[in-house]
Amino acid sequence: MLEPRRLAARSAADRLAANLGETLGGRVGYSVRLESRTSADTRLEVVTAGLFLRRLQADPALEGVACVIFDEFHERQAEADLALALVRQARSLLRPELRLLVMSATLDLEPLAAELDGASVISCEGRSHPVTVSYQPPRPEERLERQVLRALEGHWLDQPRPRGTVLVFLPGLGELEATRRAIEATAWGAEVDCVLLHGQLPLAAQGRAIAATHQAAGKVVLATAVAESSLTIAGVTLVIDSGLSRLSRFDPATGMDGLVTQPASQASAEQRRGRAGRLGPGHCLRLWSPAEQQRRPAFDPPELLEVDPLPIALQLAEWGGAADDTLPWITAPPKRSLVEARSLLRQLGAIDGDGRITGHGRAMARLGVHPRLAHMLLRARERGWDSLACAVAVLLSERDPLDRREAGSDLMRRLDWLQRRDAGPGGEGRSGARLPWRDLQSQLLRQLTASHGPQPSAPSRSGRDAASGSEDARAAQLLAWAYPERLALGRGRGDGRFLMRSGRGAVLPPGDPLAGAEALAIASVDGQGQEARVRLAVALSRQGLEELLADGVEEGTEARWDGHDQRVRCERLRRAGALVLERRPWPEATGEVVERALLEGLDSLGLEVLPWCRSSRQLQQRLMLAHRHLGAPWPDRSPERLQQDPGSWLGSHLGGLRSLQDLQQLDLAEILWGDLDWSLRRELERLLPLTQPVPSGRRVPLDYGSGTPVLAVKLQEMFGCLEGPKVLDGRLAVRVALLSPAGRPAAVTSDLAGFWSQGYAEVRRELRGRYPRHPWPEDPRQGIASARTKAALAREGRSQAPER
């Protein structure tokens, strides 16, 4: 029987044995990492999915097994989905009599049964106790730990003693610790038994967390989703559910995992509610609203769609090449993710060019750790560094044993703590605290020895290997084997910001002891956000970084735009991925290379930095209008086109230019004309003139800035004009902005004849009282008879022309 976690496996086996009235290890036993309770009498063995996969790879026929049970399948763990697909294929080819049983308390099994070749559906209501549900939505700006305190004080502390146990679901370890501190700070916190329950606890500590309490004041179990299923916590009658889950999500774009906190699904909330009714009637208090409950997804998505595909890809390679193409998946992993995972496996030497597993890949799979760490362990054996490599692998596979707020992100402090050289924060005086990690280290070392023989003697160090003499240098080398793309170089400011070989930024928490390091070998990051947050790393000197990168350094050239100095830089480079280790001048760079860099700079700055003036802008807008209405031969000079492809109209004029200052030499008007000859230039002046004659006798400038030609003219100067002016041989009406005698806007129209008949009378009525000395004829279409008056208007128009 497969369970999703070690604690769930042991707890399920313990309960099943108790129901039979037998001791654990008799007819019911269990096997998990570091622990096994089975015997010759065992008929039902409860195991984790990971352990089952290793057995299945070794014995696809599952000799001696009559039935495989997939418990808690609603969790859709990646290993469980993969195990079901492999078992179904093995059953069809090798063991048609093998029975499969898929179980869940919340999953809709009818569609799943159809996927499983028409499997039968067995429904068992079981013995359930009633559980009432109420809701406590958060108050504005109320922190999660305060919500929990309010729930405890309102729904549990007023119960008569002995109170029993309350189970509180929280998303992660940070929230568990914050809530425990908040409880301990209350007046009643000292008398209650407050314990944490999460998947990274040693099994013994997890067992103590689910045991009954003997304190009359009661017990508060602060738990992650590990307590959702397969566990019965003694004495629970109240569940307080935060409604949040913290899940690991793999980002294919960065190749990194990140922790995401999101609302739990309805199925997850139902599982949590059920924890209050395992032993008797109970109550579930949800820290959200009923309306929000309806908006939550019905189920969590299958893990296969969102986790790191590398372990799955290695399992598939061990099973047989491109096995995923023929496997009967319930939900297949994304093709793109598997392709990228196989590319990385090739780089690690785990598969060959045809996707078949290599000897190195089989050795990696036998170790049962993440493929990156398995590769690291095998490379470490070549140097005789088994013990150190196993310690690093354990520290990266389990929860952080030290408080990162005190110990920072330095992996060496964890190694010191584990090896008792320097206990460090969180480890002083607690020799037993190291035992679970040391047990795991010893087990992994035994496993490595059993799979690959005794540790070879360490080779003599000479040349570049001499740098590997210190433990810091060896730890950095181990990380470089496991995570070569996470080698990082400081950005030179000493503020904890780094650039990784992959090109992604990485940042340390403020005040971290490693913030001033020249370089880092990064072991663990949270890939969410613009910059990855470093969790664990080893500090490096720049020389140490270059030694680790030596085999991957390439020589090259680069012409780039320097945004700080606003000019093109042409340099010869030594680089490894995105990390530039050395820059030297490259005076021989060709004009084409410089031109591309200059255009890249112009793209980042925008065309507004070019030396535009009124005449060049007017020409650009006139050419744009001509192209829009007439097409060829007029070039498209719209802002979008100019910005989209500046090389097409600027390129031939950039020779010898390297800086923003150089660009100020450009004659944009001449450049915009392009290949148009003088006859076409004269034709543009006819089609889209720069000035327009008006009845006063003056030629008034046209403004093309808005995309439509605008004539700004005093209203009296247009008296006698029956229709508004047009350009482009009458295709496009000019918008006339009629001004008062003081040059202020009075009216705007593209239909002058309509304005004279409908709008003029109101403008006349409003303005003639203000400007009585100016003519205001009732019919402006008749014009102004006096040539003297006309000349005066023209002079006045020239002297008071509005600024534009």
Side-chain angles (χ1 to χ4, degrees):
M1 181 162 75
L2 280 65
E3 292 290 343
R5 286 168 291 274
R6 287 179 289 168
L7 178 60
R10 193 176 77 165
S11 178
D14 189 53
R15 185 166 178 80
L16 288 167
N19 287 345
L20 293 173
E22 299 178 1
T23 58
L24 194 57
R27 281 196 294 170
V28 178
Y30 72 92
S31 294
V32 298
R33 187 174 57 175
L34 287 182
E35 196 172 341
S36 179
R37 293 283 296 277
T38 59
S39 68
D41 297 328
T42 299
R43 294 293 173 265
L44 174 62
E45 184 180 10
V46 187
V47 299
T48 57
L51 182 61
F52 174 76
L53 278 170
R54 290 198 289 278
R55 292 187 182 178
L56 181 63
Q57 292 280 12
D59 178 17
L62 292 177
E63 296 293 341
V65 177
C67 178
V68 179
I69 304 171
F70 294 81
D71 194 17
E72 308 293 357
F73 195 72
H74 63 275
E75 294 196 19
R76 298 302 303 274
Q77 285 197 327
E79 288 182 328
D81 267 31
L82 174 63
L84 180 59
L86 297 183
V87 168
R88 290 176 67 193
Q89 187 177 70
R91 179 175 179 268
S92 66
L93 298 175
L94 304 173
R95 291 282 308 280
E97 77 281 7
L98 182 67
R99 296 185 180 186
L100 304 182
L101 179 62
V102 178
M103 302 197 303
S104 171
T106 56
L107 189 62
D108 183 4
L109 293 178
E110 294 288 352
L112 183 60
E115 288 282 347
L116 294 173
D117 308 318
S120 302
V121 176
I122 303 171
S123 181
C124 176
E125 295 301 326
R127 296 192 303 272
S128 60
H129 299 280
V131 177
T132 57
V133 177
S134 61
Y135 295 85
Q136 178 189 288
R139 294 168 178 167
E141 307 299 326
E142 187 178 27
R143 295 178 61 86
L144 183 55
E145 59 266 27
R146 295 303 308 171
Q147 296 177 51
V148 173
L149 288 183
R150 182 157 60 93
L152 289 170
E153 290 168 352
H155 294 81
W156 186 63
L157 288 179
D158 58 354
Q159 294 180 8
R161 300 192 181 199
R163 291 195 187 106
T165 299
V166 56
L167 174 60
V168 183
F169 282 101
L170 296 165
L173 185 57
E175 290 79 5
L176 297 183
E177 294 285 4
T179 304
R180 176 164 66 179
R181 289 194 298 269
I183 290 174
E184 291 172 348
T186 64
W188 47 268
E191 61 179 357
V192 302
D193 184 11
C194 184
V195 297
L196 307 187
L197 177 58
H198 52 85
Q200 299 298 328
L201 280 178
L203 281 176
Q206 292 179 354
R208 289 192 294 273
I210 66 176
T213 182
H214 302 292
Q215 291 188 227
K219 180 179 182 179
V220 178
V221 179
L222 306 175
T224 61
V226 70
E228 269 186 27
S229 55
S230 303
L231 295 180
T232 299
I233 300 176
V236 173
T237 57
L238 172 64
V239 166
I240 298 174
D241 186 2
S242 69
L244 299 173
S245 296
R246 181 159 298 143
L247 305 172
S248 177
R249 291 290 179 260
F250 180 77
D251 184 356
T254 63
M256 297 180 189
D257 284 308
L259 292 175
V260 177
T261 302
Q262 63 185 33
S265 66
Q266 294 184 25
S268 180
E270 184 62 18
Q271 282 281 351
R272 297 177 182 188
R273 182 196 68 83
R275 300 299 97 187
R278 295 295 291 259
L279 302 176
H283 180 68
C284 176
L285 178 63
R286 291 172 172 168
L287 304 185
W288 64 94
S289 68
E292 186 183 344
Q293 169 69 8
Q294 299 305 313
R295 294 192 295 266
R296 293 181 174 227
F299 298 98
D300 292 318
E303 257 192 2
L304 269 178
L305 301 178
E306 298 180 317
V307 296
D308 182 356
L310 198 62
I312 301 296
L314 183 59
Q315 291 274 3
L316 291 173
E318 187 181 14
W319 189 252
D324 57 296
D325 294 329
T326 58
L327 282 177
W329 297 101
I330 300 299
T331 303
K335 285 281 186 185
R336 179 184 170 189
S337 296
L338 284 179
V339 168
E340 292 174 352
R342 290 192 178 108
S343 176
L344 180 54
L345 287 178
R346 288 189 193 94
Q347 294 175 37
L348 298 177
I351 60 175
D352 62 19
D354 297 324
R356 292 188 294 266
I357 194 165
T358 63
H360 183 65
R362 291 193 184 280
M364 288 167 57
R366 285 198 300 270
L367 291 176
V369 296
H370 191 281
R372 287 179 180 269
L373 298 180
H375 174 70
M376 176 195 76
L377 288 165
L378 295 176
R379 291 296 305 271
R381 271 189 78 73
E382 299 169 5
R383 301 281 186 96
W385 300 348
D386 290 26
S387 180
L388 178 63
C390 289
V392 169
V394 166
L395 288 168
L396 298 185
S397 301
E398 301 296 317
R399 71 175 178 88
D400 192 345
L402 304 185
D403 187 339
R404 193 175 293 117
R405 291 170 301 180
E406 299 179 24
S409 303
D410 190 355
L411 178 63
M412 299 310 301
R413 298 187 71 169
R414 278 77 179 171
L415 286 169
D416 290 346
W417 172 85
L418 185 59
Q419 297 168 6
R420 295 193 182 186
R421 284 170 33 196
D422 176 10
E428 296 88 340
R430 297 193 309 167
S431 58
R434 298 180 182 81
L435 291 178
W437 282 267
R438 301 194 106 179
D439 288 345
L440 289 171
Q441 180 187 7
S442 299
Q443 185 209 30
L444 189 56
L445 190 57
R446 288 194 301 271
Q447 195 173 338
L448 188 61
T449 302
S451 300
H452 304 90
Q455 173 175 318
S457 58
S460 60
R461 300 187 183 100
S462 60
R464 203 175 74 228
D465 285 347
S468 300
S470 72
E471 188 167 73
D472 292 48
R474 290 197 295 273
Q477 177 65 78
L478 293 172
L479 298 182
W481 284 328
Y483 307 102
E485 75 283 3
R486 295 183 191 171
L487 292 172
L489 184 62
R491 295 188 184 270
R493 298 189 293 267
D495 59 354
R497 282 186 151 72
F498 296 81
L499 177 67
M500 291 189 286
R501 186 180 187 178
S502 65
R504 185 87 188 278
V507 60
L508 286 162
D512 193 278
L514 300 184
E518 289 184 290
L520 294 177
I522 299 176
S524 175
V525 291
D526 182 351
Q528 297 297 311
Q530 287 188 334
E531 292 184 300
R533 294 189 295 276
V534 179
R535 289 183 178 147
L536 291 174
V538 172
L540 285 168
S541 65
R542 188 182 181 94
Q543 179 184 352
L545 176 69
E546 293 199 26
E547 290 174 355
L548 292 177
L549 292 169
D551 294 337
V553 173
E554 299 175 347
E555 299 275 349
T557 56
E558 177 185 75
R560 62 183 174 87
W561 179 258
D562 184 337
H564 181 266
D565 291 338
Q566 303 287 280
R567 64 176 298 107
V568 173
R569 296 284 181 199
C570 298
E571 298 168 318
R572 295 187 180 278
L573 306 177
R574 286 180 58 248
R575 69 188 313 157
L579 302 182
V580 177
L581 305 176
E582 183 184 5
R583 297 182 183 272
R584 302 189 308 275
W586 179 31
E588 306 88 358
T590 63
E592 183 181 352
V593 170
V594 174
E595 179 185 314
R596 280 199 302 268
L598 194 59
L599 289 173
E600 287 173 8
L602 192 56
D603 183 61
S604 65
L605 295 171
L607 297 183
E608 295 303 319
V609 301
L610 294 175
W612 294 100
C613 61
R614 178 177 173 79
S615 62
S616 57
R617 276 297 186 197
Q618 286 278 74
L619 177 58
Q620 178 242 323
Q621 292 148 358
R622 291 159 65 211
L623 289 169
M624 177 182 68
L625 278 175
H627 177 81
R628 182 185 301 164
H629 291 276
L630 302 176
W634 309 108
D636 184 0
R637 297 305 193 213
S638 64
E640 296 79 16
R641 179 62 179 169
L642 295 180
Q643 183 70 56
Q644 180 184 12
D645 189 10
S648 64
W649 60 283
L650 275 177
S652 60
H653 302 272
L654 298 179
L657 307 184
R658 288 199 171 210
S659 67
L660 180 59
Q661 184 176 357
D662 293 344
L663 289 174
Q664 304 312 304
Q665 305 169 17
L666 294 173
D667 183 351
L668 290 183
E670 186 59 34
I671 294 172
L672 288 168
W673 281 117
D675 297 330
L676 298 178
D677 59 24
W678 285 106
S679 63
L680 287 173
R681 296 186 187 196
R682 286 194 298 272
E683 178 67 4
L684 184 69
E685 296 299 331
R686 187 187 69 79
L687 292 169
L688 293 165
L690 289 170
T691 61
Q692 174 70 36
V694 296
S696 68
R698 191 163 65 93
R699 296 192 70 87
V700 180
L702 286 169
D703 185 357
Y704 292 89
S706 64
T708 299
V710 176
L711 178 70
V713 61
K714 288 189 177 181
L715 191 149
Q716 281 81 4
E717 291 193 75
M718 296 301 290
F719 290 164
C721 185
L722 302 182
E723 293 186 356
K726 295 183 178 179
V727 293
L728 290 173
D729 287 336
R731 291 182 177 86
L732 182 62
V734 174
R735 184 179 299 154
V736 181
L738 297 167
L739 308 177
S740 72
R744 298 188 180 92
V748 178
T749 181
S750 297
D751 179 11
L752 189 62
F755 173 74
W756 292 142
S757 61
Q758 298 180 17
Y760 170 71
E762 183 177 346
V763 172
R764 175 176 179 266
R765 187 165 48 251
E766 181 180 342
L767 294 182
R768 71 174 180 169
R770 296 188 202 169
Y771 306 100
R773 297 175 58 187
H774 292 76
W776 298 99
E778 290 189 6
D779 186 359
R781 290 168 293 189
Q782 298 301 318
I784 302 175
S786 169
R788 182 177 171 187
T789 303
K790 185 183 293 188
L793 283 171
R795 287 195 304 273
E796 200 173 277
R798 283 192 296 270
S799 65
Q800 297 186 15
E803 287 190 21
R804 295 189 63 78

